[in-house]
Amino acid sequence: MGVLERSVIADIRLAPEGRLKIDWAAAHMPVLNRIRERFEREKPFAGLKVAISLHLEAKTAYLAKVIAAGGAEVAITGSNPLSTQDDVCAALVEDGITVFAKYNPGPEEYKELLVRTLETKPDLIIDDGGDLVAILHAERQDLLANVRGGAEETTTGILRLKAMEREGALRFPMVAVNDAYCKYLFDNRYGTGQSVFDGINRTTNLVIAGKTVVVCGYGWCGKGVAMRAKGLGANVVVTEVNAIRAVEAYMDGFAVMPMIEAAKVGDIFITVTGNRNVIRGEHYAVMKDGALLANAGHFDVEISKPDLEAMAESRRTVRKNIEEYRLKDGRRLYLLAEGRLVNLAAGDGHPAEIMDMTFALQALALKYVNESHEQIGRRVVNVPYEIDEEVARLKLESMGLSIDRLNDEQRKYLESWQEH
């Protein structure tokens, strides 16, 4: 059976459009290009099967091609129903990569596509949000035997993995790529900050300047969203449950208040917490007419859709990716992209130059876990600092930048407690 016959995609005829997207991304991912050259020589994944679940758009597609260049047989699926791009899927299939993904499948079909990806019996996995790992452990333990380990992309997935590790349930090692410096400092902050407003702006065609933007959560993603909102001229309010982060937000120049107070003044709400029901019925009850609700956390649970539906008298689609909920008192609240990741469901995700670093980490972390899985054991581990620094140095080189290095005298001084 050929790759096309094995795959589940929308339309192979879309491949030319998808290839243009992938080529554009690849042209702006110099670090990943360097790693691809190395993989083509060394073939670190020769004879292995790799299953990938990530937001399936052009940058992810190029990562899949880099892994395949390392000798792997790759099967890929999406990690969000609304972020899959059908033309990109078609282009990957033409390039010999098995794809199980469509834009906006129903819940049952979406789950089936994840399962089909795992049924290729992978040796290694790349996960985003922990769905592949959860299915392997809870439902398809018959597929666990071959899995050596994998890498996790995002905060939500790492939280799930650490819970599994605490309970002694995790059956193979996972590398927490999200916790690498070159992930959260750049992807989470600059990538999320820019792409969230790319998604909001292209979807609503409304101005940000002068509006009050409420950022729910001040982790690295929240920091990036707040920074970009301020740069676009918004008045920014931050809500938090962590006292340290709340102080940080205040000293960064943002207003800080409980969600119930922020709900009264916000024009645009953006959730980036990784938790559920951050915005719920009590908050909808006091919001302004016309408030926009957007989520940038992994799952569509941060903005309570059941509460919104229960309080609404009517609901209609007013623009692509904008649902209007008219409440009984006549106020209208607008939910963007069904409460899913607004930067991917209503946009193209993070810029290619940002994902260049993240996917370089993914590629090298996968190589690391393949080589070290027996020593690591059934744990969640961080990306080794050497990999983190290597990605940063490659990025500097690609930008034509150089930095100083410690000389022997300086290194000796830093390593000695007697020197002064």
Side-chain angles (χ1 to χ4, degrees):
M1 185 183 295
V3 172
L4 178 57
E5 289 74 25
R6 288 197 304 271
S7 298
V8 178
I9 61 172
D11 189 349
I12 192 65
R13 294 171 296 181
L14 299 173
E17 300 167 37
R19 182 159 290 105
L20 288 174
K21 290 182 178 180
I22 297 170
D23 289 348
W24 174 263
H28 295 87
M29 302 179 85
V31 177
L32 209 52
N33 286 330
R34 289 278 296 275
I35 292 170
R36 178 175 184 163
E37 292 169 4
R38 187 189 310 171
F39 281 5
E40 287 173 338
R41 293 192 306 270
E42 299 174 359
K43 299 294 182 185
F45 307 120
L48 299 179
K49 295 180 179 180
V50 176
I52 299 173
S53 173
L54 290 168
H55 298 286
L56 217 176
E57 42 76 57
K59 300 174 287 291
T60 301
Y62 189 55
L63 170 64
K65 293 180 70 169
V66 170
I67 300 297
E73 181 181 327
V74 177
I76 189 168
T77 188
S79 63
N80 185 298
L82 296 186
S83 63
T84 294
Q85 297 184 6
D86 288 328
D87 51 359
V88 169
C89 295
L92 277 180
V93 170
E94 278 203 347
D95 287 340
I97 291 174
T98 303
V99 180
F100 301 103
K102 295 179 180 179
Y103 174 76
N104 201 21
E108 290 184 8
E109 185 180 11
Y110 174 71
K111 174 72 172 297
E112 177 61 23
L113 294 171
L114 289 166
V115 172
R116 290 282 296 274
T117 305
L118 290 171
E119 287 177 342
T120 62
K121 298 182 179 179
D123 301 282
L124 299 163
I125 65 172
I126 295 177
D127 211 354
D128 188 352
D131 283 342
L132 292 183
V133 173
I135 291 170
L136 279 170
H137 286 75
E139 301 173 35
R140 295 302 303 270
Q141 295 185 11
D142 58 304
L143 300 173
L144 274 170
N146 291 338
V147 182
R148 300 180 180 185
E152 169 57 47
E153 172 78 2
T154 196
T155 304
T156 300
I158 291 171
L159 290 172
R160 298 172 83 184
L161 288 171
K162 288 184 175 177
M164 293 174 71
E165 182 184 3
R166 284 194 302 271
E167 294 173 11
L170 188 62
R171 298 280 295 277
F172 49 76
M174 289 292 292
V175 182
V177 170
N178 185 74
D179 291 351
Y181 289 106
C182 283
K183 169 65 162 68
Y184 66 75
L185 289 176
F186 307 111
D187 179 315
N188 293 14
R189 180 167 48 167
Y190 295 104
T192 306
Q194 179 170 322
S195 64
V196 160
F197 285 102
D198 288 345
I200 291 173
N201 291 341
R202 75 162 63 175
T203 300
T204 66
N205 194 31
L206 298 176
V207 72
I208 303 297
K211 290 190 169 70
T212 296
V213 173
V214 177
V215 180
C216 308
Y218 203 67
W220 286 104
C221 291
K223 290 180 178 68
V225 172
M227 177 175 61
R228 286 289 166 260
K230 181 179 180 180
L232 289 167
N235 303 303
V236 180
V237 173
V238 169
T239 69
E240 252 297 347
V241 296
N242 183 302
I244 297 170
R245 289 178 178 172
V247 172
E248 183 182 14
Y250 184 76
M251 290 193 173
D252 283 345
F254 304 121
V256 175
M257 62 185 72
M259 189 65 228
I260 193 64
E261 298 302 322
K264 300 172 185 176
V265 299
D267 299 298
I268 301 171
F269 296 83
I270 303 167
T271 54
V272 273
T273 71
N275 210 332
R276 66 182 301 116
N277 296 335
V278 177
I279 300 179
R280 50 192 182 270
E282 65 200 80
H283 306 129
Y284 302 141
V286 296
M287 283 182 180
K288 297 178 182 179
D289 178 33
L292 302 176
L293 305 167
N295 170 52
H298 184 78
F299 291 117
D300 60 336
V301 297
E302 302 205 20
I303 299 169
S304 175
K305 291 190 283 187
D307 284 2
L308 197 53
E309 289 163 3
M311 296 174 69
E313 191 172 61
S314 64
R315 172 185 173 185
R316 62 173 180 154
T317 301
V318 292
R319 283 172 66 99
K320 183 180 179 182
N321 283 319
I322 304 180
E323 290 290 310
E324 177 192 85
Y325 290 81
R326 185 177 289 272
L327 306 187
K328 294 178 175 62
D329 60 8
R331 285 180 299 121
R332 297 156 298 172
L333 302 180
Y334 296 102
L335 180 65
L336 306 190
E338 299 180 8
R340 300 186 185 276
L341 279 158
V342 72
N343 51 344
L344 278 149
D348 285 326
H350 294 359
E353 298 99 329
I354 292 293
M355 295 310 297
D356 187 28
M357 300 178 77
T358 295
F359 285 162
L361 287 169
Q362 283 283 13
L364 294 177
L366 200 68
K367 178 176 181 289
Y368 163 71
V369 79
N370 180 51
E371 295 169 347
S372 308
H373 60 98
E374 292 180 353
Q375 298 96 305
I376 296 170
R378 300 175 177 183
R379 297 186 296 132
V380 181
V381 296
N382 291 330
V383 174
Y385 182 77
E386 295 76 15
I387 291 177
D388 228 343
E389 188 175 42
E390 180 183 3
V391 169
R393 288 193 177 278
L394 288 172
K395 191 65 174 179
L396 285 172
E397 289 176 14
S398 76
M399 296 186 291
L401 302 175
S402 59
I403 59 174
D404 293 320
R405 293 179 182 269
L406 296 175
N407 59 36
D408 290 342
E409 178 189 17
Q410 291 170 325
R411 189 173 292 105
K412 181 181 177 183
Y413 179 83
L414 292 176
E415 293 173 354
S416 172
W417 65 272
Q418 293 180 321
E419 296 285 345
H420 56 80

